[in-house]
Amino acid sequence: MAAKPFASSTDLSAKQQTLEVLADGVYALTAEGDPNIGAVEGEDFVVCFEALATPVAAQKWLARLREHTDKPVRYLVLSHYHAVRVLGASAFDAEVIVAHENTRALVAERGKEDWASEFARMPRLAEGADSVPGLTWPTLTFSDRMTIDLGGDRGDLVLQYCGRGHTEGDIVAWLPRHRILFAGDLVEAEAALYTGDAFHRDWSTTTLDRVAAIGADTLIGGRGGVSRGAAAVGSAIDQTRYFLQVMIREVGGVQERGGSLKEAFERTHAALVDQYGHWPIFEHCLPFDVSRLWDELSGVERPIIWTAERDREVWEQLQS
């Protein structure tokens, strides 16, 4: 059987973007399973959440945002280090770029490799790739929690580290006044999970427990639509957790029986495809997901760095 087209290399059709006003001065841009992005107005400034893959792509989002506010961007908050989330940062002209301290370390350790890897996997997202001036470096980092005073009567925006999950450095952004949570890729709503740099056991237990305990009434995940209402928020967290639990069960079972990585992939695919296979990036992500979990359950504590060459090797091994 011939190998499937590599990752999202043939996914070249444009996605419909939808800008939603979630509350006074709170915005989310979703795009049919492409990376979500958001913004929160302060009294005289804006906090943006995520930066997209390139300045060209980010400028289009900012043009939409400028239809609602002309306040300058004071803070650009990055939920984690992946290239398609951060390399558009220069378009924001932000005074401060905020991320977790682990995210800054990951940029230093593997940012260049991730850039090449992700742009090859998802070329459509890399619109205007030559507009990227270089790696995006946070200028302000924190370890557990950081609060941004939005000024006036707008309340606070709380940035919080919930533990290792999608990466070692994921953070969420919480608006207590509106009970709105920007969860980044720690939660996906009707979109498959990318776990190639994940800590599956932490993510599926204590990390998601902490996300759930925040008690959001509205949640914007990394991909998929906005979850509105406690039931929908709970469903998004539950489907994320279940994806991880099934992976751990299937890959762990194959390892215990002395099976192969290929067998683990096939069994995990069979166990997930009916529920998740019709959602965005399922086929793209799963080979990388299973490869990382296989390593993790084999005692490889931190994810092996993905390179464009390693991507192809794993893809050909598992998707052919």
Side-chain angles (χ1 to χ4, degrees):
M1 182 174 66
K4 295 179 180 178
F6 175 66
S8 293
S9 60
T10 60
D11 178 11
L12 303 177
S13 59
K15 307 299 182 186
Q16 180 65 44
Q17 293 186 335
T18 302
L19 189 152
E20 301 180 55
V21 182
L22 305 179
D24 179 28
V26 184
Y27 310 96
L29 187 76
T30 62
E32 297 183 315
D34 273 1
N36 294 336
I37 192 167
V40 178
E41 287 189 53
E43 185 177 23
D44 57 3
F45 62 90
V46 173
V47 181
C48 286
F49 188 75
E50 311 287 37
L52 297 177
T54 67
V56 167
Q59 285 162 1
K60 292 182 178 181
W61 148 239
L62 287 167
R64 299 283 299 275
L65 181 63
R66 291 308 180 205
E67 295 172 6
H68 297 269
T69 177
D70 61 0
K71 296 173 184 176
V73 179
R74 181 174 298 172
Y75 298 95
L76 173 61
V77 177
L78 305 176
S79 69
H80 62 286
Y81 78 96
H82 284 150
V84 296
R85 301 289 184 180
V86 306
L87 290 181
S90 63
F92 292 79
D93 196 25
E95 292 181 30
V96 182
I97 300 176
V98 186
H100 191 267
E101 61 189 17
N102 290 346
T103 291
R104 195 182 199 290
L106 288 163
V107 172
E109 178 186 55
R110 58 186 69 199
K112 289 182 179 179
E113 292 85 355
D114 183 72
W115 181 353
S117 167
E118 293 213 344
F119 278 27
R121 292 183 189 181
M122 296 172 278
R124 179 174 50 78
L125 298 185
E127 179 186 9
D130 58 358
S131 67
V132 179
L135 293 173
T136 296
W137 293 98
T139 59
L140 176 63
T141 63
F142 66 97
S143 59
D144 297 312
R145 184 183 177 98
M146 173 181 163
T147 299
I148 297 173
D149 181 354
L150 296 172
D153 62 354
R154 290 185 173 271
D156 293 331
L157 179 67
V158 180
L159 309 181
Q160 183 173 330
Y161 180 64
C162 295
R164 300 188 306 182
H166 174 70
T167 72
E168 284 178 275
D170 298 85
I171 59 173
V172 301
W174 167 234
L175 278 166
R177 180 184 177 196
H178 300 295
R179 305 200 69 76
I180 294 173
L181 182 69
F182 290 90
D185 280 320
L186 287 175
V187 180
E188 308 293 8
E190 298 189 359
L193 274 62
Y194 175 66
T195 74
D197 296 297
F199 296 79
H200 298 75
R201 291 170 291 192
D202 288 4
W203 188 1
S204 64
T205 54
T206 55
T207 299
L208 282 179
D209 289 346
R210 291 178 185 129
V211 173
I214 292 171
D217 290 334
T218 303
L219 182 147
I220 306 92
R223 295 174 184 263
V226 176
S227 300
R228 290 181 169 83
V233 170
S235 178
I237 293 170
D238 289 347
Q239 78 180 27
T240 300
R241 193 191 303 269
Y242 184 69
F243 191 105
L244 296 165
Q245 290 173 333
V246 171
M247 286 186 62
I248 293 168
R249 182 190 73 207
E250 296 299 330
V251 175
V254 171
Q255 281 197 350
E256 289 172 5
R257 294 191 299 272
S260 66
L261 175 61
K262 176 77 167 178
E263 181 187 353
F265 171 74
E266 291 170 347
R267 290 188 65 87
T268 304
H269 188 283
L272 290 172
V273 68
D274 288 347
Q275 181 170 343
Y276 297 92
H278 61 290
W279 286 351
I281 66 171
F282 175 78
E283 298 292 347
H284 166 160
C285 291
L286 201 62
F288 309 118
D289 294 354
V290 171
S291 178
R292 163 55 189 157
L293 180 54
W294 182 272
D295 289 344
E296 184 180 359
L297 296 179
S298 301
V300 180
E301 177 66 13
R302 300 187 65 246
I304 298 170
I305 295 173
W306 291 102
T307 64
E309 294 75 20
R310 181 171 176 243
D311 286 354
R312 292 280 183 174
E313 290 172 2
V314 168
W315 186 268
E316 290 170 7
Q317 180 182 2
L318 298 184
Q319 284 283 40
S320 60

